[in-house]
Amino acid sequence: MLAIESSCDETSAAVVVDGRVARSNVVASQVDLHARYGGVVPEVASRQHLAKVLPVIRDALDAAGCTLGDIDAVAGTRGPGLAGALLVGYSAAKAIAFGRDLPFLGTNHLEGHIYANWLVEGDEPRFPALCLVVSGGHTDLVLMRGHGEYERLGGTRDDAAGEAFDKVGRLLGLPFPGGPAVAREADAFAARGAKGFSLPRAWLPGTFDFSFSGLKTAALHAVRSGKYGTPEVAAAFQESVVDVIAGKTSRLAAELGAVEVLVAGGVAANRRLREELARRCPVPVRIPPARLCTDNAAMIGAAATYRLRLGERSAWDEDIFSTNDWSAPLPG
Ligand code: KG4
Ligand code: ZN
């Protein structure tokens, strides 16, 4: 499976075998390009994807030691993401599939994040699994009963976890993207053994939903009070996010009788979150290595492989966003 991902600010192509092994997974990051704006500028992202998409595909084939002649199917991310950015990788993937008469699989980005767990060596994940998707755009708790069978049980009502990390990073004056920078400050503070302060948690009792906008405001007030330094606010913020996510995920896993917890998305790179999920969940927790947690094409290739095995493929007139409900089968 040749897979292409361009939903945000990473142009990526990968060659995936059997949905389990990434022969290559080339990621061209645009982070330096967007850093000076403090966020991803959609038009800049689209143009950079255009410049990078073909070289990245070539690199992915070369690194896998194969040519297009060895490819059996092609996958492209169809959303969610930035429309102009998505169109570049999606159209490239569709064109290659069409030109070579191969099956094409428009693939949901969030389903892709979950399938990063299939790219880790060892036994395949088992069902029913509780999936925690924590990215820049999503904080979702999803029950996965089998391949292609999902039920969303909770999600954020306002900011996604990664978005909150990024915004708090910005108000603390940390470099873009805020998530890793806030985590670094927070971990350094904790490593000094310093006693911090506490920020509120939005538990939203009786639901498995999340809310991080109030916490963001509380962090802003803490900064404006002048009483706390950057590392201290970062640590309090990270602890609050991690406590709520790990608390809700572990409780839901127990309630559902899930046999595993699968963690996915860029925020799954967070060390404290990994630690607390592993400590609190009643069942084994899988968390892919950081390079498979952030956006990459191999995860898209893995998800598409299992969809292909279910007999699915996308119609040529399928467009980005055309099937936004990722629990629904692909058309065609
Ligand atoms: O999944 P991803 O690469 O892109 C989306 O699909 O959104 O996630 C990116 C998000 C960003 O908000 C970034 O700040 C956050 O993941 N992130 C982190 C860490 N590494 C990346 N957040 C907290 N701690 C980290 N170590
Ligand atoms: Zn993502």
Side-chain angles (χ1 to χ4, degrees):
M1 178 77 67
L2 172 66
I4 302 168
E5 149 72 36
S6 68
S7 64
C8 190
D9 59 344
E10 252 99 44
T11 321
S12 180
V15 176
V16 175
V17 179
D18 289 338
R20 297 287 329 265
V21 178
R23 279 276 177 80
S24 63
N25 192 15
V26 177
V27 181
S29 172
Q30 308 177 1
V31 68
D32 297 341
L33 207 59
H34 299 284
R36 77 178 104 144
Y37 305 107
V40 177
V41 183
E43 179 65 17
V44 174
S46 311
R47 286 170 189 247
Q48 188 65 4
H49 285 307
L50 275 174
K52 290 285 178 194
V53 69
L54 293 179
V56 163
I57 292 169
R58 269 186 219 112
D59 284 355
L61 290 167
D62 287 349
C66 68
T67 67
L68 277 181
D70 301 312
I71 299 297
D72 302 316
V74 189
T77 305
R78 70 163 141 68
L82 302 169
L86 283 164
L87 272 172
V88 177
Y90 185 85
S91 306
K94 197 194 262 186
I96 293 170
F98 188 79
R100 302 195 70 92
D101 200 21
L102 297 172
F104 170 63
L105 288 111
T107 301
N108 184 289
H109 183 78
L110 301 176
E111 186 173 27
H113 271 303
I114 289 174
Y115 274 85
N117 287 285
W118 269 260
L119 292 168
V120 181
E121 241 180 273
D123 294 344
E124 279 194 44
R126 290 171 307 130
F127 304 120
L130 175 62
C131 306
L132 167 69
V133 185
V134 274
S135 70
H138 290 264
T139 310
D140 286 335
L141 281 166
V142 179
L143 177 65
M144 187 175 185
R145 291 202 176 82
H147 294 291
E149 289 176 56
Y150 304 95
E151 188 183 340
R152 187 171 176 276
L153 298 167
T156 186
R157 294 189 182 175
D158 38 61
D159 287 27
E163 186 182 358
F165 262 98
D166 293 341
K167 287 178 179 166
V168 166
R170 199 165 167 165
L171 70 88
L172 288 173
L174 296 173
F176 168 82
V182 169
R184 260 194 312 276
E185 293 281 335
D187 289 354
F189 182 77
R192 290 206 297 271
K195 190 169 152 26
F197 73 110
S198 184
L199 281 169
R201 282 118 171 92
W203 287 108
L204 306 179
T207 77
F208 287 99
D209 283 345
F210 300 94
S211 167
F212 297 113
S213 68
L215 170 62
K216 213 174 52 186
T217 309
L220 177 65
H221 288 309
V223 172
R224 287 198 180 148
S225 76
K227 286 200 285 195
Y228 312 104
T230 293
E232 212 171 346
V233 176
F237 169 79
Q238 177 170 272
E239 282 311 303
S240 173
V241 173
V242 167
D243 189 21
V244 175
I245 295 180
K248 291 211 170 207
T249 306
S250 54
R251 198 146 23 88
L252 186 56
E255 251 177 54
L256 292 171
V259 297
E260 293 197 13
V261 171
L262 308 180
V263 191
V267 183
N270 187 275
R271 193 195 55 81
R272 269 296 286 152
L273 181 62
R274 302 166 82 95
E275 201 173 83
E276 281 304 294
L277 283 167
R279 194 174 69 79
R280 294 198 215 174
C281 285
V283 293
V285 179
R286 286 184 198 250
I287 313 177
R291 74 194 151 76
L292 290 172
C293 288
T294 48
D295 290 348
N296 68 89
M299 67 185 198
I300 299 299
T305 302
Y306 285 90
R307 288 279 181 182
L308 185 66
R309 281 193 197 152
L310 292 173
E312 296 174 16
R313 60 179 64 194
S314 302
W316 294 121
D317 61 355
E318 185 200 283
D319 205 343
I320 55 163
F321 301 143
S322 63
T323 321
N324 250 335
D325 174 9
W326 61 312
S327 59
L330 300 174

